Amino acid sequence: MVSMFKVLKEQYDNFHLINRLAAYELKSANNNNYLGSLWELLNPAIQIAIYWFVFGFVQGRKPITFEGGGTYEYFPWMLAGITIWFFIYPSITHGSKSIYTRLKMVSRMNFPLSAIPSYVILSKLMPQLLLMLVTIIIFQFMGIPINIYYLQLPYFLVATILFLFSLSLITSTISTIVRDFQMLVQSLMRVLLYITPILWPLGHFGDTFQFVMKLNPFYYLIEGFRHALLGEGWFFIEHGWLTLYFWAVLLVFLFLGSYLHVRFRRHFIDFL
């Protein structure tokens, strides 16, 4: 518990520095591209088009109906869920290698290593906000107007950031000690895209399978964004047991990640 409060205090004390480093990270990531930061939108757009063509057009998906009665074509249903994935995926893959790839740079600085995953994740947030704005604009042209359930979006965005930070504390610590773990994380994230109900509806399967899939914390986040963008209800209230489960998992990850990070970070330099 002491480790968790220590890590959280480091984030608070270095909040302004984390913001500055996140802005620099975003700028440097696209510095050598002719189109610059525009690739932050073009890359998701290309992937979305491919997923829609393969899983929607080729497979001829029928309209998808929510429990509340709303029915949507496959494209807006997929788009509402996959938008947040383009924040989750790079945050986890880059966050897991964030410490050991920057260890030499910060080894001689008075800089808390726990802030490294923070600013890496935060650097992915600005493109995500822009992508969400584009998605909302597209929905207006598709006849899916802005609704009161959009008020859930800040809640789910904060929940996503906290969960990604908690998970990155674990993965970045293990990846620094065992470099092969980074390859495992990348492989698991590719698989996770297809086993999480992002590209296919969960309702086509039995109750037991649905219950197991709902234990995936990313299901809670993705469905929360999907319900908010499509106006299908207050997801975090209507699925209260999922809300309690998600925050319990997040606290466990935060406690474990903080403990591992504080326990081993003084030895990180030995693994260079």
Side-chain angles (χ1 to χ4, degrees):
M1 190 65 70
V2 175
S3 299
M4 184 173 70
F5 286 116
K6 183 176 183 178
V7 167
L8 292 176
K9 185 176 184 301
E10 289 174 348
Q11 311 312 302
Y12 177 80
D13 292 341
N14 295 275
F15 181 73
H16 295 293
L17 179 59
I18 290 172
N19 282 330
R20 292 174 58 188
L21 289 172
Y24 174 78
E25 182 85 5
L26 178 61
K27 182 179 179 180
S28 62
N30 299 285
N31 197 36
N32 296 323
N33 299 327
Y34 286 111
L35 296 180
S37 297
L38 187 59
W39 278 109
E40 299 293 343
L41 285 179
L42 289 177
N43 186 44
I46 293 171
Q47 293 185 57
I48 289 171
I50 294 173
Y51 293 142
W52 170 79
F53 179 77
V54 174
F55 294 96
F57 180 76
V58 174
Q59 294 187 358
R61 292 278 186 182
K62 296 179 181 180
I64 297 165
T65 302
F66 282 83
E67 294 178 359
T71 301
Y72 301 88
E73 296 294 332
Y74 178 76
F75 179 74
W77 177 87
M78 179 198 71
L79 183 59
I82 202 172
T83 299
I84 191 62
W85 180 255
F86 292 108
F87 177 47
I88 292 174
Y89 180 83
S91 295
I92 292 179
T93 54
H94 291 193
S96 63
K97 63 180 179 181
S98 60
I99 291 181
Y100 76 76
T101 55
R102 295 165 176 80
L103 197 54
K104 289 183 180 179
M105 179 181 69
V106 301
S107 59
R108 299 180 182 179
M109 300 170 55
N110 185 20
F111 182 78
L113 295 180
S114 65
I116 297 179
S118 294
Y119 82 73
V120 170
I121 292 172
L122 198 60
S123 70
K124 311 299 178 185
L125 180 60
M126 188 57 67
Q128 170 62 25
L129 294 176
L130 185 58
L131 181 60
M132 286 177 61
L133 177 61
V134 172
T135 299
I136 292 172
I137 293 173
I138 291 174
F139 281 171
Q140 306 316 299
F141 287 100
M142 298 182 69
I144 306 175
I146 294 175
N147 58 82
I148 192 173
Y149 301 113
Y150 273 43
L151 294 175
Q152 297 174 98
L153 291 176
Y155 162 77
F156 281 107
L157 195 58
V158 170
T160 302
I161 294 171
L162 292 176
F163 184 78
L164 292 174
F165 172 69
S166 302
L167 184 59
S168 293
L169 281 176
I170 299 175
T171 58
S172 62
T173 299
I174 299 177
S175 294
T176 303
I177 300 172
V178 183
R179 300 298 169 81
D180 290 357
F181 187 75
Q182 169 65 20
M183 303 303 296
L184 177 62
V185 169
Q186 293 179 348
S187 298
L188 289 176
M189 289 306 297
R190 294 190 189 100
V191 173
L192 197 60
L193 172 64
Y194 298 101
I195 64 174
T196 304
I198 300 175
L199 302 173
W200 45 269
L202 189 61
H204 291 176
F205 301 90
D207 293 340
T208 301
F209 182 83
Q210 290 188 42
F211 176 77
V212 172
M213 294 304 296
K214 287 178 180 179
L215 296 180
N216 177 359
F218 294 118
Y219 168 85
Y220 177 78
L221 298 172
I222 291 165
E223 284 300 308
F225 275 95
R226 182 173 278 149
H227 276 66
L229 290 172
L230 297 179
E232 283 300 313
W234 303 102
F235 185 81
F236 71 101
I237 297 176
E238 295 170 2
H239 298 78
W241 74 272
L242 272 179
T243 300
L244 294 175
Y245 169 77
F246 171 81
W247 285 103
V249 172
L250 188 152
L251 288 174
V252 170
F253 280 10
L254 181 59
F255 175 80
L256 180 59
S258 300
Y259 173 78
L260 290 175
H261 178 84
V262 174
R263 170 69 174 80
F264 290 101
R265 66 180 174 184
R266 71 186 65 178
H267 306 292
F268 282 166
I269 195 67
D270 298 332
F271 296 99
L272 280 177

